[in-house]
Amino acid sequence: SYVLTQPPSVSVAPGQTARITCGGNNIGSKSVHWYQQKPGQAPVLVVYDDSDRPSGIPERFSGSNSGNTATLTISRVEAGDEADYYCQVWDSSSDHYVFGTGTKVTVL
Amino acid sequence: EVQLVESGGGLVQPGGSLRLSCAASGFTFSSYEMNWVRQAPGKGLEWVSYISSSGSTIYYADSVKGRFTISRDNAKNSLYLQMNSLRAEDTAVYYCARDSYDSSGYYPRCFDIWGQGTMVTVSS
């Protein structure tokens, strides 16, 4: 089965840039989606199709995808960005949705 | 307002059964593919099951195949998950999630709307 690997944690100072990676075999050939989940809340889609943003999501959230790594970038980080972030793809070979292991973003 | 509301969670003994429901409102339910996603306490997200808009196509995660059954009633704007032979490792918050779709017929294969979740605890 397809596996997506994320770093367990990322720490960033307010106003700086956070980069969260999502590794998978030839992930560049898939569409990658990203979710933000705050404690006690349901996940929220923040980036889809590698780099598109749903309406209402700030431009500070951006994404890229190439080779074996996809990246979610949060620019000008704010205290409210502190959350868990998950990448996700559709694995057509197994007809399964796959989530990454998740990354906890801490704002220092 | 577009909304998904889950219900039916609770405490059940190992080997028992439970049926979850998800009530949809604010959008044309029959046009959308739907999913169940779960999250064990302190753990990450795990996709559980998918059902197409008509109910004709269904997929399951390997961890629940043969034990769980997804279904929908488009007339009642409702999604269901019948869970049998429950195990301790099925303990989790269960979310229903809408599969994204745009008017041009493109399916990005991501989840754009989530419910608030319902807790299932399997324990003796």
Side-chain angles (χ1 to χ4, degrees):
Chain A
S1 60
Y2 195 75
V3 176
L4 295 174
T5 303
Q6 299 179 233
S9 62
V10 167
S11 297
V12 58
Q16 298 304 303
T17 298
R19 293 180 179 84
I20 305 162
T21 59
C22 175
N25 184 35
N26 197 26
I27 195 175
S29 67
K30 301 180 182 298
S31 289
V32 179
H33 319 294
W34 291 91
Y35 302 86
Q36 176 194 68
Q37 186 181 32
K38 296 181 179 180
Q41 298 184 20
V44 173
L45 181 68
V46 293
V47 166
Y48 68 98
D49 282 354
D50 299 339
S51 58
D52 290 335
R53 282 183 311 278
S55 61
I57 301 301
E59 291 183 6
R60 301 185 298 103
F61 289 84
S62 62
S64 62
N65 184 19
S66 179
N68 293 318
T69 304
T71 303
L72 174 69
T73 301
I74 311 173
S75 303
R76 302 180 298 283
V77 166
E78 303 174 356
D81 298 330
E82 191 162 279
D84 294 326
Y85 291 83
Y86 296 90
C87 57
Q88 176 254 313
V89 301
W90 164 252
D91 180 24
S92 58
S93 66
S94 63
D95 289 331
H96 281 31
Y97 291 88
V98 180
F99 284 99
T101 50
T103 298
K104 181 176 181 59
V105 170
T106 300
V107 180
L108 301 171
Chain B
E1 180 191 6
V2 174
Q3 197 172 12
L4 297 170
V5 178
E6 302 93 339
S7 60
L11 175 63
V12 61
Q13 292 188 340
S17 299
L18 210 55
R19 189 194 194 207
L20 306 183
S21 299
C22 172
S25 60
F27 65 98
T28 305
F29 180 72
S30 59
S31 296
Y32 286 84
E33 304 168 350
M34 297 294 297
N35 297 266
W36 288 98
V37 176
R38 68 184 181 183
Q39 186 170 36
K43 302 297 184 182
L45 300 172
E46 180 188 17
W47 170 76
V48 172
S49 184
Y50 156 96
I51 187 168
S52 63
S53 57
S54 66
S56 60
T57 301
I58 287 173
Y59 304 127
Y60 295 101
D62 296 345
S63 57
V64 306
K65 196 169 186 178
R67 301 187 298 122
F68 289 11
T69 302
I70 191 172
S71 63
R72 64 190 295 160
D73 185 336
N74 287 340
K76 294 183 178 180
N77 292 334
S78 293
L79 175 72
Y80 306 102
L81 186 67
Q82 177 67 44
M83 303 185 296
N84 298 331
S85 303
L86 283 162
R87 307 166 179 167
E89 54 265 36
D90 296 318
T91 295
V93 174
Y94 284 73
Y95 296 100
C96 65
R98 190 178 80 171
D99 222 290
S100 184
Y101 158 79
D102 69 29
S103 55
S104 69
Y106 172 59
Y107 293 84
R109 293 296 179 205
C110 61
F111 312 120
D112 63 348
I113 302 294
W114 296 66
Q116 86 289 349
T118 187
M119 183 70 203
V120 172
T121 303
V122 184
S123 174
S124 55

